[in-house]
Amino acid sequence: MANHDCKGCREYDRLTRRNFVGLTAGAAAAALAPGWLPRVVYADSDSSSRDVIVSLFLRGGADALTLCVPYAERNYYNLRPTLAIQPPDAGGANRALDLDGAFGFPPALEPLLEAYRAGDLLVVHACGLENPTRSHFEAMHFMEVGRGDPPASLYTGWLGRHLQATAPTLRDGVLRAVGIGAGLQRTLVGGPLTVPVRDPAEFGLEGRSRRAREAALEVMYAVAGEPLQTTAVNTFRTIDLLDDIDFRGYQPAGGAAYPDDEFGYALRSTAALIKAEVGVEAVAIDLGGWDTHDFQGPVEGHMAGLMGSLAAGLGAFHQDLFAGGVENVVVVAMSEFGRHAFENASGGTDHGHGGLMLVLGGAVAGGRVLTDWPGLGDGQLYEGQDLEITIDYRDVLTEILTRRLGNPDYRTVFDDPGYTPRTHGVTV
C-alpha cells in the first residue's frame, strides 16, 4: 500500500512490482445516520455477533526485534550495537516505551500505547511460520494459504476458505470481503462475494457513459447463462453499493485523525465501509517496504517512517471505531518472517525467521506481550542467527476463527495433518 523507498533485496522488489503490496468494524446508529452512510436496507443479520476481521500484511519481512524491543535481554544489545532501541530508563530520544517490564515499543509506535493500555492490543512475539524458507515469495504464499508445505492444488487463502465454510452475516448482502489494493491478496482468494478494490471511492465503471455501459454489459451477460449472469449481477450491485457510500465525506468519530498516506486512507475507507453495515466480514490491507537490508533507520530513518505510518493508522482506527462503540472487530497484523537477530555491515538486517503479530480488537485479551520467549543467547538462536519461533501463527488465527468469527471447525481452514493448534488466550 504505502510507498516507502527501501534498498531491499531483488526478490522483494520483483514481488512489489507484481502487486504483492496492499480496517475495520462496526455498527452505526440508524436513527441518526450521518450523511456518508448509504440509504440501503438489508434483511436481518444471520450472525450479528461475529467480528469483522481485518487482515493486515506487513510485506517484506518486518523486524520483530525492533517492533517489540526485548530490552531486558542483554544479548539484544550485543547483537545490535547500532540498531538497538535503548531501555526505557536510558537517556535521549532512542528509548523504548515500556510495555511490561521486559519488552517495549520503539518511539515510532507511541500512537499504539493508548490501545495497548486500554487492553485492546495484544503483541504476540517469537511467532510465525515454522517452515525454514527465507524466500519472500514462498513465505508469503505459505502463510496466506495457511500451510508450510502446501500441495500445488491448494491455491485458496485461509480467510477465503473461512468465508467458503460459513454463511454470510447478511442473507441479502452482495459483498462479504474486500482486498484493498491493486489485486486480491492471496489471503482472500476463494472467498465468495469477494473483490479487490484499489480505491473504494472510485470502484466500478468510470466516466459520463457509465450507465450506458452498464446497460450494455447487462444485456450481454443476460444471455451468457450461469454462472456468468449471477456474477455480473453481483458485480453491478457491488458497484452501486460502494457508490452509495460517501467515502470521501466520511467523518471519523472521537476526533480520530488518520495519516495522510495510502495506508491511512485504506483504514479510513475500511472504517466507513464497515460502519455502513452492508455485510462486509473481512478486509485485507497490505503495508509494504519492510525489507530493511540497508540503512534500517529504526529511530529516524526508513523503518521509523514505516512504523510511524502503521502506528498512526492503527491508533486512529482504534480511536475512530471504539469512540463510537464499534468493538466487534479484530485486526491481525503479521509479516512473512522476521530479520536476523544481529545487524549487518550495511546498517540493516537480513532475512530471518521468528516474527511478531499484532492483534487489536474489542474481544482481544490485550495489554500484554504474549510470548514463550526463546532468548537471544548462544544456543538459543534459530540456525545460530534468528529469533526462534515458539508460537505457530495459525494458533492465533485459529483462536480468532473459532471464538470470534463463528467458525467452530478450524479444519475447514487449516486442513494440515501435521498441525494441531494450541490455545494461548488471545481472546476473552
Side-chain angles (χ1 to χ4, degrees):
M1 280 298 303
N3 295 320
H4 295 274
D5 295 331
C6 177
K7 296 181 180 179
C9 67
R10 292 180 180 178
E11 183 201 17
Y12 182 70
D13 289 342
R14 290 196 299 270
L15 291 172
T16 302
R17 288 196 293 270
R18 293 176 186 173
N19 295 324
F20 272 86
V21 297
L23 270 31
T24 145
L32 297 174
W36 56 267
L37 275 174
R39 300 299 182 256
V40 180
V41 178
Y42 286 105
D44 291 338
S45 170
D46 290 324
S47 305
S48 60
S49 62
R50 289 188 205 168
D51 281 357
V52 177
I53 182 169
V54 177
S55 174
L56 172 59
F57 211 110
L58 310 180
R59 298 194 186 272
D63 181 24
L65 296 178
T66 295
L67 286 166
C68 187
V69 181
Y71 69 81
E73 169 86 49
R74 176 176 294 182
N75 294 299
Y76 167 70
Y77 295 100
N78 296 333
L79 294 167
R80 299 189 172 197
T82 65
L83 291 182
I85 305 296
Q86 297 305 307
D89 59 358
N94 181 20
R95 294 181 298 172
L97 307 169
D98 184 49
L99 296 178
D100 64 355
F103 295 91
F105 278 151
L109 292 187
E110 184 175 6
L112 293 181
L113 283 178
E114 181 179 347
Y116 181 87
R117 290 168 177 165
D120 300 325
L121 177 64
L122 176 70
V123 181
V124 187
H125 217 325
C127 65
L129 169 75
E130 294 188 346
N131 186 289
T133 184
R134 299 178 191 275
S135 161
H136 292 293
F137 179 85
E138 290 183 343
M140 283 191 278
H141 177 75
F142 296 164
M143 290 192 81
E144 291 187 277
V145 301
R147 284 189 62 165
D149 58 343
S153 58
L154 182 62
Y155 63 91
T156 55
W158 68 268
L159 195 44
R161 294 194 299 277
H162 159 67
L163 294 171
Q164 288 178 353
T166 55
T169 56
L170 287 179
R171 287 189 293 270
D172 295 340
V174 299
L175 184 63
R176 294 187 67 183
V178 171
I180 298 182
L184 188 64
Q185 292 86 345
R186 172 73 66 177
T187 301
L188 285 174
V189 168
L193 300 177
T194 298
V195 297
V197 177
R198 182 186 292 272
D199 182 349
E202 297 181 359
F203 182 71
L205 302 173
E206 302 297 329
R208 297 173 60 184
S209 59
R210 168 184 163 178
R211 293 303 177 189
R213 282 184 286 168
E214 280 190 7
L217 288 171
E218 286 172 351
V219 171
M220 291 171 58
Y221 281 109
V223 298
E226 298 294 353
L228 288 178
Q229 185 173 345
T230 297
T231 300
V233 170
N234 285 336
T235 299
F236 293 130
R237 292 177 68 193
T238 300
I239 291 172
D240 290 339
L241 173 68
L242 294 179
D243 213 30
D244 208 17
I245 302 174
D246 182 10
F247 289 98
R248 304 223 185 272
Y250 170 70
Q251 296 298 315
Y258 289 92
D260 187 19
D261 56 24
E262 287 186 49
F263 181 64
Y265 180 70
L267 289 172
R268 181 178 179 274
S269 298
T270 303
L273 178 64
I274 297 176
K275 283 186 183 181
E277 294 189 285
V278 294
V280 169
E281 302 168 50
V283 178
I285 300 175
D286 295 339
L287 180 61
W290 300 90
D291 196 26
T292 52
H293 289 278
D294 308 313
F295 309 109
Q296 185 162 311
V299 178
E300 296 181 340
H302 171 75
M303 188 172 178
L306 271 175
M307 293 189 295
S309 179
L310 172 68
L314 284 181
F317 188 74
H318 173 261
Q319 185 177 1
D320 181 9
L321 274 293
F322 282 54
V326 181
E327 299 183 11
N328 60 320
V329 52
V330 58
V331 183
V332 181
M334 61 186 183
S335 191
E336 65 264 33
F337 43 60
R339 317 294 295 185
H340 277 358
F342 53 84
E343 63 185 68
N344 61 30
S346 300
T349 51
D350 299 319
H351 297 182
H353 190 57
L356 171 148
M357 299 173 76
L358 298 174
V359 187
L360 173 72
V364 170
R368 62 197 176 103
V369 178
L370 170 63
T371 187
D372 180 5
W373 186 246
L376 299 176
D378 293 340
Q380 295 177 319
L381 295 175
Y382 176 78
E383 296 186 345
Q385 58 190 358
D386 300 320
L387 179 67
E388 183 63 86
I389 291 174
T390 58
I391 298 177
D392 191 312
Y393 78 103
R394 293 172 298 182
D395 291 350
V396 177
L397 301 180
T398 294
E399 192 168 337
I400 291 170
L401 284 168
T402 56
R403 294 189 177 185
R404 303 307 309 167
L405 303 186
N407 190 343
D409 184 5
Y410 76 92
R411 290 290 181 194
T412 62
V413 177
F414 298 121
D415 187 16
D416 183 346
Y419 172 64
T420 301
R422 293 187 299 147
T423 299
H424 302 279
V426 172
T427 62
V428 295

